[in-house]
């Protein structure tokens, strides 16, 4: 696949950009003509005392000013349109690339980084695309055009201008590049400060309990000091720009007058031309100051463009392989055959095999980090195994179209996700599920009662992450979501940890008796939660340490038995 | 969720109060402020002399009798010197201002932080972390920018306008009269900008924040979206919001793009008028040629500040709103000072009693109705109930994070309100469910439990909490950094670290939240053992999840929906057949 670059998006609109630039050039030139016309009026027309001609040229000047105005407005608006269309397209593409990244790519980039690429980076880009077209084009035109036009009027004076322009440009570039470095380190200092505030906000109870407020305050003083000194350094550096630029341009203007005096004295120049030159200096001064403003924008924008195109160029390696779709005739509905997998080289599962028939339930149990959730991630094809085969309904899951595969599942993940939307929409979750199905799913999930008890029932809004519902209520809504589309396979990853024992037990019973054809896959910490399952996998450090029914495991699997013992001990307190 | 709440505009009176309060920060720096104004005045006046000298020099060139080189050199030399002086003064000024405002900003930031950690927990619970961060960073930055820039710019603007106007008037009153024609246009543009364009910019940031909120929310649910294969639906929703965001941006740009060229147009119009009328006057000998040049330069200077006016006012406006938010936080009452005669609690025995305590987070919604119980020194009180039922409320009351509406909580027979807050809290050690570790080394995280703890004490605590061996296995041992990017501690290990921290504390009372979910059996055993060691000999309030703790407790308080519904010992409660026995039995079904 060809590499996508941000420039491709921009160059799609090159016609419009070209037209806009032409208009901008025309407008800017009209503006540059003003001082020359003025010099002409003073030097040539006024001495002839030709009043009508003087007024005619005055009107021509006015027309130039109007053209400059209209041209610039039009060009700016065209530029805004280009910036808008480009940004819209890039942002949409970036969002869909982000959603279609594979899980390992998401892990690598991390979600907060993806969020900031979508928000601040696209914003910087939008800013830059607009700014460059508006100011970034205007300033070079003014500089180059100004020098070119003045050469036609009075070449020697133009040399003074020509000498000063590169000097100005160098100074602006030098200071801005220093400024960017300083602002980056300032940003780092600010990040530390923000982290401190966040840290202390969350730990305020501990801080108060340990009477640590003075300690924290003096700790913050150091961090604050660091921010302040960074800020001061950056401010002092950037503060040089404007006095130095002002001084150089004003000195240049003085030079023009002195050189001009010699030229006038030798009859090579006229006084009005000197006035025109002083005007050019003022125009150029303003342009250079504005370009020093957009410099930071450009460097920010191009850094952002890099970060964006990095995502756009990521290819999801998990493509469908229909050639693997030979059907194996067997009554196994879910099967793992010698599956081995690691996250970036650190092994998570090795040689895992198991299978369940249609409608059978599966419990997965084991210590933290033993690979329970990894099994689910592989089954949903968030990752491909390093070796081995996973089959669902007799077909290698790599042969499925992604949607076809995932539509078979209803899933509740650990710390699962609720949207700031109504209860109904959270259960429906963008699928074609009728209101009555939503309600019956909520009933099965033991969520109907508390939902109906709220003022607006199923239309009650959730706050972001559902903070207006309790942990147990959230889990029940999530289970309702998983049941709503009548899945073939129901995955519950530690999905009832916040439920009280009674509700949890009731829920389990309901699921088993009402969804006989659904394969329930249940991950849990405690044996009491999975002992009902037809098959249980006991995982230990990524390996299957035991596989069978509860009774079989009690008989044959030592780790399982141990776990059972410690858990009942903990629960009964018999060791007290 | 929305960071860009549309700010209510401040009324005049509160505006004046805020300005007065901001000014009070400058009081300590009177001398610097005076120096700054002197510098500003000097820099501007020298700069304003420039155009006048330019005109003089050009007049000396344009003489009928040829160029008067002496005069040209004289004026140009003066000009160069003045411009250099002006720039040097300007830089000294910005140096001074940056130093000055940084001092003020540093103080303000420290004030905000100190206020934050001294606020009652109840108040902080209602604030969001993002809100605080906004105030300490963005709001204070806004104030900073305004203090160091806008005031000076505004003052410079006034001086420039007056100076340029005087200059123009001195050169040619008739030409000034002609030029004045362009001023209403400048003012018109300035008003248009603040009235029509600024609301569009506000809308632009609102829409953008909405979009960013959406993508942040959706990406936090990325796995779920993928699991249900709903990517396309979510992308469609994103597209709608993106459309709104880029349109709002475009709209602001569309009208905003009028401003720059229009400002230039007014400048150019000035040039046109001055050139035409100036040439006419020159033709009739009413004006010298160099004066036209000075006049043009003054005219450009004159319109600059008028065009900047809207910008500056906008910035000052937002700085005032930012200052208002910062001051509002600073004005919040911190935890009230200890009452006079408050006793310092030392070596408490640990008898705690609640008598007739009534409490509700919202005074209209009492959730604890008249709770009374006694806990003798060394006893264990278990608080039991489903998640989200309000088990932490008792902890909040004991630590005086919240105050009961009525009733008395006493420790060793004295109302806890009568102890100094510091000594009361020092009498408790605490292990909470959301294990709080901060950015720092493992050592400093443990040592946080007791002032001036030695290396030996920290190691002993880590050993007692079964963390020593693990810590020693890390490459940097106790100096390992606990950060997002640093060592990856499991949930259970984090819990053990906070237990170690509590172990260090010499407190006689303990508040413990037994969280068991998501920890493997091995770690669970370690945690349990460490907790038992920690509880030994202390009066313990345990938010209990383990049956062994519950059965051994001297008193069980059963919490449901915030209220204490049952109380007693394990077997009494079981016999009673109420809510407790329901919870208990459900586990073995």
């Amino acid at each position: 696949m060809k590499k996508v670059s941000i420039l491709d998006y921009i160059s799609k609109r090159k016609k419009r950009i070209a037209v806009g630039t032409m208009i901008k050039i025309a407008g800017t030139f009209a503006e540059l003509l003003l001082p020359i016309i003025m010099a002409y009026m003073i030097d040539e027309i006024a001495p002839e005392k030709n009043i009508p001609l003087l007024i005619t040229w005055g009107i021509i000047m006015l027309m130039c000013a109007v053209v400059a105005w209209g041209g610039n407005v039009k060009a700016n608006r065209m530029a805004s349109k280009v910036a808008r269309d480009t940004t819209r397209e890039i942002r949409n593409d970036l969002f869909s690339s982000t959603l279609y990244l594979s899980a390992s790519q998401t892990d690598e980039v991390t979600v907060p980084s993806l969020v900031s690429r979508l928000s601040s980076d696209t914003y910087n880009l939008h800013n830059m695309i607009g700014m460059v077209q508006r100011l970034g084009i205007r300033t070079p035109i003014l500089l180059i055009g100004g020098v070119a036009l003045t050469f036609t009027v009075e070449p020697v004076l133009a040399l003074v201008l020509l000498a000063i322009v590169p000097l100005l440009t160098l100074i602006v570039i030098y200071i801005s590049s220093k400024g960017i470095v300083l602002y980056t380190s300032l940003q780092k200092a600010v990040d530390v400060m923000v982290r401190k505030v966040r840290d202390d906000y969350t730990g305020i109870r501990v801080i108060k309990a340990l009477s640590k407020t003075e300690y924290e305050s003096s700790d913050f003083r150091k961090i604050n000091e660091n921010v302040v000194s960074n800020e001061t350094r950056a401010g002092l550096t950037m503060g040089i720009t404007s006095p130095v630029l002002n001084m150089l341009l004003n000195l240049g203007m003085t030079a023009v007058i002195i050189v001009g005096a010699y030229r006038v004295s030798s009859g090579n120049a006229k006084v009005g031309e000197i006035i025109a030159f002083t005007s050019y200096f003022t125009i150029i001064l303003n342009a250079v100051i504005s370009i020093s403003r957009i410099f930071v924008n450009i460097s920010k924008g191009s850094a952002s463009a890099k970060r964006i195109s990095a995502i756009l160029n990521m290819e999801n390696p998990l493509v469908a392989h229909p050639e693997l779709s030979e059907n194996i005739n067997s009554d196994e509905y879910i099967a793992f055959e010698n599956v081995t997998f690691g996250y970036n080289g650190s092994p998570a599962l090795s040689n895992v095999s198991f299978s369940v028939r249609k409608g059978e339930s599966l419990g997965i149990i084991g210590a933290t980090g033993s690979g329970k959730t990894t099994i689910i991630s592989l089954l949903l094809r968030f990752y491909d195994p390093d070796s081995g085969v996973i089959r669902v309904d007799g077909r290698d899951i790599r042969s499925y179209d992604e949607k076809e595969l995932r539509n078979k599942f209803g899933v509740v993940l650990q710390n699962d996700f609720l949207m700031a939307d109504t209860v109904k929409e959270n259960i429906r979750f963008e699928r074609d599920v009728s209101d009555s199905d939503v309600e019956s799913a909520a009933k099965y999930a033991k969520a109907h009662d508390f939902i109906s008890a709220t003022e607006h029932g199923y239309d009650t809004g959730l706050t972001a992450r559902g903070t207006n519902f309790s942990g147990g209520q959230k889990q029940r809504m999530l289970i309702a979501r998983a049941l709503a589309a009548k899945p073939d396979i129901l995955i519950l990853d530690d999905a009832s940890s916040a439920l009280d024992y009674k509700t949890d037990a009731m829920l389990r019973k309901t699921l088993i008796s009402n969804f006989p054809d659904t394969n329930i896959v249940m991950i849990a910490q405690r044996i009491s939660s999975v002992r009902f399952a037809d098959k249980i996998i006991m995982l230990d450090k990524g390996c299957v340490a035991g596989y069978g029914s509860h009774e079989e495991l009690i008989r044959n699997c030592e780790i399982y038995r141990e776990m059972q013992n410690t858990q009942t001990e903990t629960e009964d307190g018999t060791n007290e | 969720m929305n960071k860009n709440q549309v700010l209510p505009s401040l009324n005049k009176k509160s505006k004046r109060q805020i300005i007065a309060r901001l000014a009070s920060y400058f009081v300590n720096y009177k001398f610097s402020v005076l120096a700054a104004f002197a510098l500003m005045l000097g820099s501007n006046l020298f700069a304003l002399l420039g155009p006048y000298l330019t005109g003089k020099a050009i007049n000396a060139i344009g003489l009928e009798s040829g160029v008067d080189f002496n005069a040209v050199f004289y004026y140009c030399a003066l000009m160069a010197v003045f411009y250099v002086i002006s720039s040097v003064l300007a830089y000294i000024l910005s140096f001074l201002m940056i130093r000055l405002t940084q001092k003020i900003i540093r103080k303000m930031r420290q004030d905000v932080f100190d206020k934050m950690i001294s606020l009652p927990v109840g108040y902080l619970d209602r604030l969001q972390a993002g809100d605080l961060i906004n105030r300490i960073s963005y709001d204070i930055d806004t104030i900073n920018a305004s203090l160091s820039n806008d005031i000076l710019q505004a003052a410079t603007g006034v001086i420039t306008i007056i100076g340029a106007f005087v200059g123009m008037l001195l050169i040619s009153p008739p030409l000034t009269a002609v030029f004045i024609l362009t001023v209403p246009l400048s003012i018109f543009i300035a008003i248009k900008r603040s009235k029509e364009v600024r609301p569009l910019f506000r809308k632009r940031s609102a829409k953008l924040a909405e979009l960013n909120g959406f993508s942040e929310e959706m990406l936090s649910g990325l796995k779920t979206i993928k699991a249900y294969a709903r990517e396309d639906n979510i992308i469609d929703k994103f597209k709608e919001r993106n459309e709104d965001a880029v349109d709002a941006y475009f709209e602001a740009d569309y009208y905003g793009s009028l401003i720059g060229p229009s400002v230039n147009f007014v400048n150019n119009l000035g040039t046109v008028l001055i050139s035409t009328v100036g040439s006419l006057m020159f033709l009739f000998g009413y004006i010298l040629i160099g004066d036209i040049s000075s006049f043009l330069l003054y005219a450009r200077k004159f319109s600059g500040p008028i065009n900047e006016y809207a910008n500056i006012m906008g910035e000052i406006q937002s700085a005032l709103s930012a200052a208002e938010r910062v001051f509002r936080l600073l004005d919040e009452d911190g935890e009230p000072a200890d009452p006079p005669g408050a006793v310092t609690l030392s070596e408490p025995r640990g008898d705690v009693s609640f008598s007739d305590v009534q409490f509700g987070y919202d005074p209209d919604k009492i959730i604890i109705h008249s709770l009374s119980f006694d806990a003798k020194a060394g006893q264990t009180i278990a608080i039991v109930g489903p998640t989200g039922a309000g088990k932490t409320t008792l902890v909040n009351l004991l630590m005086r994070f919240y105050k009961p509406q009525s009733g008395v909580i006493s420790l060793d027979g004295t109302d806890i309100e009568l102890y100094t807050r510091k000594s009361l809290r020092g009498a408790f050690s605490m292990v909470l469910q959301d294990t709080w570790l901060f950015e720092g080394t493992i050592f400093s995280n443990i040592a946080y439990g007791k002032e001036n703890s030695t290396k030996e004490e920290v190691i002993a605590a880590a050993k007692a909490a079964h963390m020593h061996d693990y810590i020693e296995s890390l490459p940097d041992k106790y100096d390992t950094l606990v950060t997002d990017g640093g060592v990856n501690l499991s949930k259970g290990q984090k819990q053990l670290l906070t237990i170690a921290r509590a172990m260090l504390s010499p407190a006689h009372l303990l508040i413990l939240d037994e969280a068991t979910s998501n920890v493997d059996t091995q770690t669970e055993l370690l945690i349990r053992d460490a907790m038992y060691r920690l509880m030994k000999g202390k009066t313990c309030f345990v938010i209990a999840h383990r049956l062994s703790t519950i059965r051994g407790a001297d008193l069980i308080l059963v919490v449901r929906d915030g209220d204490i519904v049952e109380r007693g010992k394990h077997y009494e409660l079981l016999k009673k057949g109420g809510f407790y026995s329901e919870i208990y039995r459900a586990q073995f079904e």
Side-chain angles (χ1 to χ4, degrees), chain A residues 160-400:
Chain A
V160 179
L161 196 64
L162 189 63
I164 219 145
V165 165
L167 194 59
L168 290 179
T169 317
L170 279 178
I171 289 174
V172 167
I173 291 175
Y174 178 72
I175 294 180
S176 303
S177 63
K178 279 218 137 177
I180 288 164
V181 175
L182 289 170
Y183 278 115
T184 316
S185 86
L186 170 62
Q187 195 48 49
K188 276 191 196 133
V190 171
D191 287 347
V192 172
M193 180 180 79
V194 166
R195 197 157 44 218
K196 180 81 191 163
V197 174
R198 202 183 284 278
D199 255 4
D200 279 20
Y201 170 83
T202 31
I204 191 72
R205 282 178 164 77
V206 179
I207 292 167
K208 282 184 185 287
L210 295 171
S211 295
K212 284 286 190 177
T213 43
E214 279 152 46
Y215 171 85
E216 289 301 321
S217 173
S218 74
D219 205 34
F220 181 79
R221 183 161 296 132
K222 278 178 245 156
I223 292 169
N224 190 9
E225 199 62 51
N226 191 27
V227 174
V228 165
S229 71
N230 272 295
E231 218 162 21
T232 311
R233 221 173 303 144
L236 290 181
T237 307
M238 294 312 278
I240 296 175
T241 322
S242 147
V244 168
L245 291 186
N246 264 309
M247 188 173 75
L248 277 177
L249 278 161
N250 286 325
L251 289 180
M253 203 151 74
T254 316
V256 163
I257 296 173
I258 292 174
V259 176
Y262 282 109
R263 297 290 291 169
V264 171
S265 162
S266 62
N268 287 321
K270 300 209 171 69
V271 185
E273 286 165 4
I274 302 180
I275 301 179
F277 272 84
T278 57
S279 293
Y280 278 120
F281 268 99
T282 339
I283 292 173
I284 288 172
L285 175 67
N286 291 331
V288 171
I289 286 176
S290 72
I291 212 172
S292 76
R293 248 198 354 241
I294 68 167
F295 221 85
V296 177
N297 267 305
I298 291 178
S299 67
K300 262 193 202 165
S302 39
S304 290
K306 258 186 223 152
R307 285 157 52 86
I308 292 170
S309 47
I311 303 294
L312 292 176
N313 282 311
M314 283 187 170
E315 271 175 82
N316 190 331
L318 306 180
V319 284
H321 296 283
E323 71 275 12
L324 298 169
S325 70
E326 27 119 28
N327 232 315
I328 292 184
N329 243 339
S330 117
D331 57 349
E332 295 168 343
Y333 193 68
I334 303 173
F336 272 51
E337 282 171 26
N338 299 318
V339 170
T340 297
F341 174 73
Y343 297 99
N344 297 323
S346 62
L349 286 182
S350 49
N351 237 3
V352 170
S353 299
F354 66 85
S355 66
V356 288
R357 286 194 294 274
K358 182 85 191 151
E360 278 186 331
S361 53
L362 174 71
I364 305 176
I365 196 156
T368 7
S370 61
K372 301 188 294 281
T373 302
T374 307
I375 290 188
I376 301 305
S377 300
L378 293 179
L379 184 57
L380 284 165
R381 206 176 175 221
F382 287 157
Y383 305 90
D384 271 345
D386 300 334
S387 66
V389 177
I390 301 168
R391 287 200 180 80
V392 168
D393 202 6
R395 273 170 64 190
D396 189 325
I397 59 169
R398 284 171 297 178
S399 73
Y400 282 92

Side-chain angles (χ1 to χ4, degrees), chain B residues 258-273:
Chain B
L258 265 177
I259 302 293
S262 301
V263 167
N264 278 328
F265 176 74
V266 174
N267 279 334
N268 291 333
L269 187 65
T271 308
V272 171
L273 287 174

Side-chain angles (χ1 to χ4, degrees), chain B residues 370-534:
Chain B
S370 182
L371 174 68
S372 303
F373 68 86
D374 291 313
K376 294 264 164 317
Q379 286 193 332
T380 295
I381 312 298
I383 305 160
V384 183
T387 319
K391 284 172 292 191
T392 46
T393 307
L394 286 180
V395 177
N396 284 332
L397 293 176
L398 269 175
M399 296 293 273
R400 268 172 71 190
F401 289 147
Y402 286 82
K403 203 182 149 176
Q405 268 82 23
S406 69
V408 174
I409 303 169
S410 60
L411 173 58
D412 289 356
T414 309
D415 187 343
I416 57 169
E417 298 283 333
L418 299 176
Y419 293 117
T420 61
R421 201 176 273 107
K422 187 171 176 176
S423 68
L424 173 73
R425 288 181 183 159
F428 288 90
S429 55
M430 227 171 36
V431 177
L432 297 181
Q433 189 180 0
D434 28 342
T435 48
W436 183 67
L437 297 173
F438 53 87
E439 283 240 356
T441 61
I442 287 185
F443 180 86
S444 56
N445 264 293
I446 299 177
Y448 202 78
K450 184 184 159 225
E451 252 163 286
N452 308 319
S453 22
T454 63
K455 180 101 193 170
E456 287 69 36
E457 286 174 317
V458 168
I459 291 176
K463 277 185 178 155
H466 302 295
M467 272 301 276
H468 179 71
D469 291 341
Y470 174 74
I471 297 171
E472 284 291 317
S473 77
L474 297 170
D476 292 325
K477 302 197 162 64
Y478 280 85
D479 294 328
T480 307
L481 276 178
V482 185
T483 55
D484 300 340
V487 65
N488 242 336
L489 293 171
S490 75
K491 253 191 174 167
Q493 287 167 328
K494 284 183 188 165
Q495 189 116 31
L496 287 172
L497 265 190
T498 50
I499 293 175
R501 182 191 286 164
M503 291 260 185
L504 264 184
S505 153
H508 288 263
L509 296 108
L510 174 69
I511 290 171
L512 190 66
D513 190 343
E514 292 184 332
T516 53
S517 61
N518 282 323
V519 174
D520 60 86
T521 319
Q522 196 56 36
T523 319
E524 160 80 30
L525 285 176
L526 292 180
I527 292 176
R528 191 162 57 124
D529 182 66
M531 283 194 175
Y532 284 139
R533 287 182 192 210
L534 186 60

Side-chain angles (χ1 to χ4, degrees), chain A residues 88 91-92 99-101 127 199 201 216-217 225 368 406 411 416 420 430 494 502 571-572, chain B residues 106 109-110 114 119 127 217 224 226 228 232 237 242-243 249 436 448 518 520 547 551 582 586:
Chain A
R88 175 173 45 212
R91 207 182 265 149
N92 283 342
L99 287 199
Y100 280 113
L101 288 179
N127 246 340
D199 255 4
Y201 170 83
E216 289 301 321
S217 173
E225 199 62 51
T368 7
R406 291 189 181 153
V411 187
D416 208 335
E430 307 292 330
D494 216 9
K502 194 180 158 191
E571 279 157 17
D572 311 337
Chain B
R106 174 172 51 198
R109 245 190 235 128
Q110 189 75 35
D114 289 350
L119 280 172
L127 273 183
E217 190 186 357
T224 312
K226 280 178 170 301
Y228 286 98
D232 291 341
K237 280 183 147 185
N242 186 21
E243 187 73 39
Y249 194 116
W436 183 67
Y448 202 78
N518 282 323
D520 60 86
L547 272 170
R551 290 168 88 169
E582 227 175 80

